[in-house]
Amino acid sequence: MSTPSTNSSIKRREAEDLRPVPEKVAKLINALCHSALGRSAGVEEMVELAQVIARAGDRRAAVESVLLMEASLVWLAEPWFWKLLSRAATEKEMGDFVGSVRSGTPFDAAISRVIGSDQYIQRASRRGIGGEGDVNLLQSIHIDLLGRLAESSEVSRALKQIRAVGAARYALEILRSVEFRRNYLLRLHQELLERMPGEPEMAGWLKRENLGLDLLAVRVHLLAGDEYFNRVAR
């Protein structure tokens, strides 16, 4: 049996559902969904995310809600499977990837696990990029993550690392390197803010203490910022 307080809560939620979403907030939510889902927000998503922003008092909570949707993580992960395995992920592979990220695994660590998989190692062997065995694996990782071959001065040290810690751990170190993060930040700023990052801004991101930030956390920071809001909500 409903109590007066229960009925009051239901009526309050219904009133919130009927409240029109402010135009700038609606533009932000649609932009977030396009960025993370490849489509505009549905009616229910629009209302729900607008309520998240209103309750939290800032945009970060809504951004995090969008990015941690299963569909969003699939959208962000799919290009990585094509890049690393030259094919779409199987249902199990994608389920494992998304499930691990939603359970707290950093996005870059989930990527590194794909690189440590038998499927990736076998593909690296077939590519024949750098020679044989571990050299192929090393050069595949460098091509896929840095867009270049490892230089001769890097090969000996890198091979020792791969043999000591494995492909996944070595890949994670690359994913948290200054070189990878610089390239990632350049692409992300162009994608989300339509500009290149300034030198002081880039220097801040590339400080040692920030290199381990989850790639999703970097995306959240830019999507929740005033600059992104002012660009998409104008």
Side-chain angles (χ1 to χ4, degrees):
M1 182 175 181
S2 298
T3 64
S5 61
T6 301
N7 289 333
S8 176
S9 297
I10 292 172
K11 288 178 180 178
R12 185 166 57 251
R13 285 197 298 271
E14 289 175 345
E16 288 178 349
D17 290 345
L18 294 172
R19 189 182 306 159
V21 176
E23 182 181 3
K24 288 189 174 182
V25 173
K27 286 182 177 180
L28 170 66
I29 292 169
N30 270 326
L32 289 176
C33 287
H34 272 292
S35 172
L37 301 170
R39 59 168 175 77
S40 298
V43 175
E44 291 184 4
E45 289 171 331
M46 179 69 72
V47 172
E48 181 179 343
L49 291 169
Q51 290 173 2
V52 168
I53 292 173
R55 286 195 294 267
D58 63 25
R59 298 181 291 271
R60 179 172 293 271
V63 172
E64 291 174 344
S65 294
V66 171
L67 289 183
L68 287 176
M69 289 178 180
E70 181 178 353
S72 174
L73 291 173
V74 169
W75 174 264
L76 293 173
E78 277 181 337
W80 281 104
F81 278 93
W82 278 104
K83 175 189 279 287
L84 300 175
L85 302 181
S86 292
R87 62 168 174 78
T90 65
E91 185 176 345
K92 183 180 187 308
E93 287 169 339
M94 186 60 78
D96 289 346
F97 189 105
V98 170
S100 69
V101 173
R102 297 187 80 181
S103 298
T105 299
F107 198 85
D108 55 5
I111 293 169
S112 75
R113 290 177 181 176
V114 178
I115 293 174
S117 69
D118 291 342
Q119 290 78 12
Y120 183 85
I121 293 170
Q122 289 165 9
R123 174 174 175 261
S125 177
R126 292 193 301 270
R127 290 169 87 178
I129 293 175
E132 297 181 356
D134 291 340
V135 179
N136 269 329
L137 179 58
L138 165 66
Q139 296 294 18
S140 285
I141 292 171
H142 274 250
I143 285 288
D144 289 335
L145 299 185
L146 300 177
R148 65 170 179 83
L149 292 171
E151 297 177 5
S152 56
S153 59
E154 298 173 296
V155 170
S156 178
R157 178 188 59 83
L159 284 175
K160 288 179 182 177
Q161 282 184 273
I162 285 181
R163 289 164 182 165
V165 301
R169 180 64 197 179
Y170 179 74
L172 186 58
E173 291 177 12
I174 295 293
L175 287 161
R176 294 179 179 176
S177 68
V178 168
E179 183 175 354
F180 176 85
R181 290 299 171 114
R182 183 186 299 278
N183 293 337
Y184 176 75
L185 286 160
L186 288 172
R187 292 192 302 271
L188 200 62
H189 275 73
Q190 290 172 321
E191 174 192 340
L192 301 181
L193 303 181
E194 298 184 340
R195 66 169 177 83
M196 301 288 280
E199 288 186 15
E201 190 176 13
M202 181 66 85
W205 282 114
L206 298 181
K207 288 181 179 179
R208 182 180 295 274
E209 62 267 25
N210 290 332
L211 291 176
L213 286 174
D214 185 2
L215 297 180
L216 285 184
V218 178
R219 184 176 283 268
V220 166
H221 180 84
L222 295 183
L223 287 171
D226 290 340
E227 184 176 353
Y228 182 79
F229 177 74
N230 291 333
R231 184 178 75 78
V232 302
R234 60 174 177 247

